[in-house]
Amino acid sequence: MNGTGTQDTHSVIVVGAGPTGLLLAGDLATAGVPVTVLDKRPREISNLSRAFVLHARTLEELDARDLADRLESVGRPLENLQLFGRLDLDLGGLHSRFRHVLVIPQYEVEKALLERAERAGVTFRYGTEVTRLAQDADGVTVTVAASEKDSGKGSGKDSGKDGKDSGAPAPAPAPAPATERLRAAYVVGADGLHSTVRKSVGLPFPGHAVIRSVVLADVRLAEEPEALLTVNATGKAFAFLAPFGDGYHRVIGWNRDRVVSDHAPLDLDEVKEITRLALGRDFGMHDPRWMSRFHSDERQAPAYRVGRVLLAGDAAHVHSPAGGQGMNTGLQDAANLGWKLAQVVHGRADDALLDSYQAERHPVGGAVLRSSGGIVRLAMAHRPWSRGLRAAVAGVVDSVAPVRRRATGQVTGVGYRYPAPRGAHRFTGMRVPDVALADGGRLYASLRGGRFVLITPGAPETAAHPYDEGRKDRLAVEHWASDRRTAVLVRPDGYVAWASDSADPAGVEAALGRHVG
């Protein structure tokens, strides 16, 4: 950035330093794209997480970034994911290196992603709020100002905090912060439910609140729960307990008979009552450090791209917390978008490649809205017929193998595949599991660095061909550990870009030119 506040138009600005924005920024910087992250919050990472699980597909994406093992060492694996009542999913049969959900608070994920992004050279500007966007044929101009919180005008509004008047005179209003203009080739809005980026490009966010007056609390427990994650729903209430790992537990609960404004006072007695209604006891909750209310929306933007502006994570879609799919879906958005933006910015692919982000991720976002919405509605069932339906659904998922596989694939993310062009190989668009390679390595380790991986038949000494010549920075050439005869080009996000049952060099080279550049 030069003295006028103008930025290189080969760069990307990411708005929002949550998990989605951090993973995306780290991917872009690793690929050699200059990235600036803007966030209106201060630098400190809050431990007031809503997300508590990483699913198998997200762990695979993090494995491709050499982060999964670190997070596995901090979190705790759970092979059965309980959704409500008698419906739980056995994850032991997943065709993945990660046959479990990892119970881990969101702030630990953010910490790992932040460190990676900083090592890769991402520029961070905290306390910086986007006020306006304007795009043209060559780039996007972003107008920013110091955020209200950064200028000392913010105030905490969480229920459960005692805000007493000290009697001192109110401070004089701070002067309006100076604005600055930044310039980039593309802007990505990863700035959440109330996204300024989404509003600036005029995108609606249709939907509605699926459940109101959900309570959140961080508490200590006198009695340790038997399960790592404790969840249950009755006709009257539901509750969820998860450990932070620091002696506190997060409680999420809802009482059908106590639906009030998000701003209504909340005390520990109400949290205890909800927990007793849903779980049968309150585990001796005490010493809350934070309590609040929120409502859960179901919304999705009709488009994830408007010209040079793109949306990811909660800026693009929000849904109920049922199934723990929110943070995971956003991280998978970022994994899909990052390598595509890098290819376009470096001139290795046409700008039209970015349209495939919408084509691939928008349907997934819609499917997550439907599945999480279905789970929460069944959890809230209270009439006899709806509770009967819930029992029937649980029975079908438990006893019908194809239904169970589909449900497990949707919740964990491993079951999604992307649309393929007409006439493409049957593997195109499929997620590739962590297959073994001829040199003793594995696919997701080879994907590290944001590379494509070409897997061809034959042992290295008999299948040598300089496919990576001139592309070593973005292509790894590997060979099957098995006798498979198919040649497969795996994208940096772990999906098949191209495949052929005849691995002739001319065909492979043409595919590499088309996809890798």
Side-chain angles (χ1 to χ4, degrees):
M1 187 163 59
N2 63 32
T4 65
T6 303
Q7 210 162 0
D8 184 347
T9 53
H10 291 289
S11 66
V12 174
I13 290 175
V14 176
V15 184
T20 299
L22 291 173
L23 188 145
L24 176 63
D27 282 4
L28 290 167
T30 298
V33 176
V35 188
T36 298
V37 174
L38 309 177
D39 197 293
K40 62 183 179 182
R41 300 175 302 171
R43 166 81 165 70
E44 296 79 13
I45 293 177
S46 168
N47 67 351
L48 304 179
S49 304
R50 287 190 186 177
F52 271 86
V53 298
L54 289 174
H55 284 297
R57 184 62 191 140
T58 307
L59 286 165
E60 290 175 345
E61 296 288 12
L62 293 168
D63 191 19
R65 291 152 181 80
D66 200 18
L67 294 176
D69 289 343
R70 165 184 170 169
L71 294 171
E72 289 267 298
S73 71
V74 176
R76 297 167 69 183
L78 185 66
E79 291 188 0
N80 283 73
L81 179 63
Q82 186 178 6
L83 299 178
F84 57 79
R86 294 179 298 163
L87 178 56
D88 62 357
L89 300 178
D90 180 1
L91 308 179
L94 284 176
H95 189 27
S96 172
R97 183 181 176 215
F98 305 99
R99 299 177 181 180
H100 54 263
V101 294
L102 187 69
V103 179
I104 185 170
Q106 178 179 319
Y107 67 83
E108 292 287 359
V109 180
E110 290 188 8
K111 188 189 306 181
L113 291 169
L114 174 61
E115 290 174 7
R116 171 179 178 258
E118 289 177 334
R119 286 196 305 271
V122 173
T123 299
F124 285 88
R125 294 188 54 171
Y126 293 95
T128 302
E129 187 166 8
V130 174
T131 59
R132 186 171 180 273
L133 294 179
Q135 58 177 314
D136 53 47
D138 300 318
V140 187
T141 300
V142 182
T143 304
V144 301
S147 70
E148 191 170 293
K149 204 172 270 189
D150 189 60
S151 62
K153 296 187 288 181
S155 61
K157 295 183 180 179
D158 290 331
S159 301
K161 302 289 186 184
D162 291 327
K164 297 181 179 178
D165 187 354
S166 66
T179 61
E180 180 182 2
R181 290 190 301 169
L182 307 176
R183 181 85 172 160
Y186 293 91
V187 169
V188 181
D191 49 342
L193 168 65
H194 303 291
S195 171
T196 300
V197 174
R198 186 186 64 242
K199 294 171 184 175
S200 295
V201 294
L203 277 173
F205 207 36
H208 59 276
V210 63
I211 182 169
R212 297 184 181 278
S213 200
V214 180
V215 305
L216 299 176
D218 295 346
V219 298
R220 291 189 180 275
L221 303 180
E223 307 164 25
E224 190 68 21
E226 292 83 3
L228 182 56
L229 290 183
T230 304
V231 58
N232 192 44
T234 66
K236 199 174 185 68
F238 69 72
F240 167 91
L241 286 178
F244 272 102
D246 62 356
Y248 277 86
H249 277 68
R250 163 60 51 84
V251 184
I252 303 177
W254 175 80
N255 181 354
R256 182 178 299 279
D257 296 333
R258 175 72 173 151
V259 177
V260 296
S261 163
D262 289 355
H263 304 292
L266 174 64
D267 58 32
L268 185 59
D269 286 340
E270 183 178 345
V271 178
K272 287 182 173 183
E273 180 188 5
I274 293 173
T275 310
R276 287 193 295 267
L277 285 170
L279 305 179
R281 56 192 174 121
D282 61 26
F283 300 92
M285 294 178 185
H286 61 96
D287 292 338
R289 66 181 174 190
W290 180 75
M291 293 187 291
S292 188
R293 299 183 193 271
F294 77 99
H295 64 275
S296 178
D297 284 358
E298 288 181 342
R299 300 182 184 277
Q300 185 178 28
Y304 288 4
R305 180 188 184 193
V306 177
R308 291 176 172 269
V309 179
L310 302 106
L311 302 177
D314 286 355
H317 49 77
V318 293
H319 43 81
S320 88
Q325 298 172 81
M327 176 175 68
N328 289 270
T329 306
L331 289 170
Q332 292 163 38
D333 288 345
N336 182 288
L337 178 58
W339 68 269
K340 294 175 181 179
L341 262 178
Q343 289 285 87
V344 172
V345 169
H346 286 312
R348 299 175 188 139
D350 188 86
D351 177 82
L353 176 62
L354 297 178
D355 292 335
S356 69
Y357 172 63
Q358 162 82 14
E360 293 178 351
R361 293 305 299 172
H362 196 275
V364 173
V368 172
L369 255 72
R370 291 189 294 274
S371 65
S372 63
I375 292 168
V376 79
R377 285 170 175 83
L378 288 171
M380 293 164 59
H382 68 291
R383 293 187 175 91
W385 68 266
S386 57
R387 297 183 74 179
L389 176 62
R390 183 174 72 184
V393 169
V396 169
V397 173
D398 187 55
S399 60
V400 181
V403 176
R404 184 169 63 251
R405 283 195 297 270
R406 180 179 177 126
T408 304
Q410 279 201 328
V411 172
T412 63
V414 302
Y416 291 110
R417 65 175 296 168
Y418 295 142
R422 184 183 296 275
H425 192 277
R426 65 190 183 281
F427 288 169
T428 305
M430 290 180 63
R431 157 196 164 265
V432 186
D434 195 20
V435 296
L437 304 173
D439 63 358
R442 55 189 185 85
L443 172 62
Y444 279 77
S446 194
L447 285 168
R448 290 173 185 169
R451 299 184 297 181
F452 287 79
V453 175
L454 173 66
I455 314 177
T456 64
E461 63 272 13
T462 62
H465 187 286
Y467 292 122
D468 59 353
E469 189 171 326
R471 304 184 180 103
K472 290 183 184 293
D473 60 330
R474 58 192 186 279
L475 175 68
V477 178
E478 304 284 1
H479 307 277
W480 298 108
S482 66
D483 59 359
R484 184 184 290 275
R485 304 306 302 165
T486 307
V488 173
L489 178 63
V490 184
R491 306 177 343 181
D493 59 351
Y495 292 83
V496 176
W498 168 89
S500 174
D501 293 324
S502 59
D504 66 287
V508 174
E509 188 59 46
L512 292 177
R514 189 164 60 253
H515 294 283
V516 184

